Amino acid sequence: MLILDRFRLDDKVAVVTGAGRGLGAAIALAFAEAGADVVIAARTQSQLDEVAGQVAGAGRKAHVVVADLAHPDATAELVQAAIEAFGKLDVVVNNVGGTMPAPLLNTSTKDLRDAFTFNVSTAHALTSAAVPLMLEHSGGGSIINITSTMGRLAGRGFVAYGTAKAALAHYTRLAALDLCPRIRVNAIAPGSILTSALDVVASNDALREPMEKVTPLRRLGDPADIAAAAVYLASPAGAYLTGKTLEVDGGLTMPNLDLPIPDL
């Protein structure tokens, strides 16, 4: 097999959550360009329809599922949609997640619990529902969890989000051992990526330039940077990786965005 052929996903089927925009949309389109059909899920029909059109433009099929993925039960139902639409399931990308930053003393136990549910429990629900069907219909597969650089770096305001993403990173390591050798489980930890969440940064030199200066590669990330890593982990090119987290963050060793949270 030629080396570039190892990055192909021809005739594979992938589920991508949070796929209406941003990283999820970029990953879904990259998978299609690599040869896969995709089940894409998010809350907004119009966004999903746009991504589905891009997938069709790449010559592959997209099955759209409109769902509120903050609820683990709804997330788990996606795997059945993949089997009904395409007859098998090879790749799962747990991309849904996120939590608004807040000072520790303004973060309630409910906030912490909600962050864990949205970032970890949804991933577990989809993973545990997907694995039996992956084994039955494909014989194995690849699961990719989207964590964050804030799961390993310390910054003010990220006690809920960073704790949840750190938990997801360790979940990845634990799940990889439970599910080997037939299911590979890896993660991607993005740094600051220019999605809609950073629109205010992208258009404001005063905010963007200090972030770029602190980033060793002197730029913020593009969604394609994360999508390329996902293709690697999902494809035969990444066949000897499991339980690992790829840190796609421009080389960050410290947070590159200081939130205005004062000393106590």
Side-chain angles (χ1 to χ4, degrees):
M1 179 183 291
L2 296 175
I3 190 64
L4 289 181
D5 291 339
R6 294 180 65 85
F7 291 85
R8 297 293 305 171
L9 291 168
D10 293 315
D11 299 321
K12 300 296 185 182
V13 174
V15 167
V16 183
T17 65
R21 59 182 180 175
L23 299 185
I27 290 169
L29 181 56
F31 282 178
E33 291 174 350
D37 295 320
V38 292
V39 175
I40 52 175
R43 289 179 294 183
T44 306
Q45 178 84 50
S46 59
Q47 292 178 342
L48 289 170
D49 288 343
E50 182 176 350
V51 176
Q54 294 172 337
V55 168
R60 302 305 304 185
K61 297 177 182 178
H63 180 73
V64 169
V65 176
V66 179
D68 183 355
L69 301 178
H71 302 289
D73 290 346
T75 306
E77 293 172 1
L78 293 177
V79 296
Q80 194 58 46
I83 299 303
E84 292 173 0
F86 299 116
K88 62 174 184 172
L89 178 58
D90 303 286
V91 181
V92 168
V93 179
N94 287 305
N95 171 62
V96 68
T99 302
M100 291 298 293
L104 185 146
L105 294 181
N106 293 347
T107 300
S108 68
T109 54
K110 180 182 183 301
D111 293 332
L112 196 62
R113 184 170 62 251
D114 289 347
F116 191 90
T117 296
F118 195 32
N119 291 278
V120 183
S121 297
T122 53
H124 177 65
L126 185 51
T127 297
S128 57
V131 166
L133 295 179
M134 295 169 85
L135 293 174
E136 178 183 354
H137 295 280
S138 298
S142 172
I143 294 170
I144 303 168
N145 298 319
I146 305 300
T147 62
S148 170
T149 188
M150 294 313 299
R152 67 179 179 87
L153 300 179
R156 285 184 174 178
F158 292 98
V159 66
Y161 179 73
T163 299
K165 288 302 191 182
L168 183 58
H170 196 50
Y171 175 89
T172 298
R173 292 185 281 270
L174 296 170
L177 288 181
D178 274 7
L179 301 178
C180 67
R182 294 169 68 186
I183 303 289
R184 295 186 298 110
V185 187
N186 293 289
I188 301 170
S192 298
I193 310 297
L194 289 170
T195 64
S196 58
L198 286 184
D199 278 349
V200 66
V201 170
S203 60
N204 188 326
D205 290 347
L207 291 175
R208 188 187 71 257
E209 290 176 359
M211 293 178 67
E212 293 173 336
K213 185 176 180 179
V214 173
T215 304
L217 288 183
R218 302 295 187 261
R219 69 173 177 90
L220 303 186
D222 185 274
D225 294 319
I226 307 303
V231 170
Y232 171 56
L233 291 176
S235 70
Y240 202 49
L241 278 79
T242 197
K244 304 303 179 185
T245 297
L246 296 185
E247 297 171 359
V248 186
D249 58 14
L252 287 176
T253 58
M254 65 183 74
N256 59 1
L257 179 61
D258 288 326
L259 298 180
I261 297 176
D263 293 346
L264 294 179

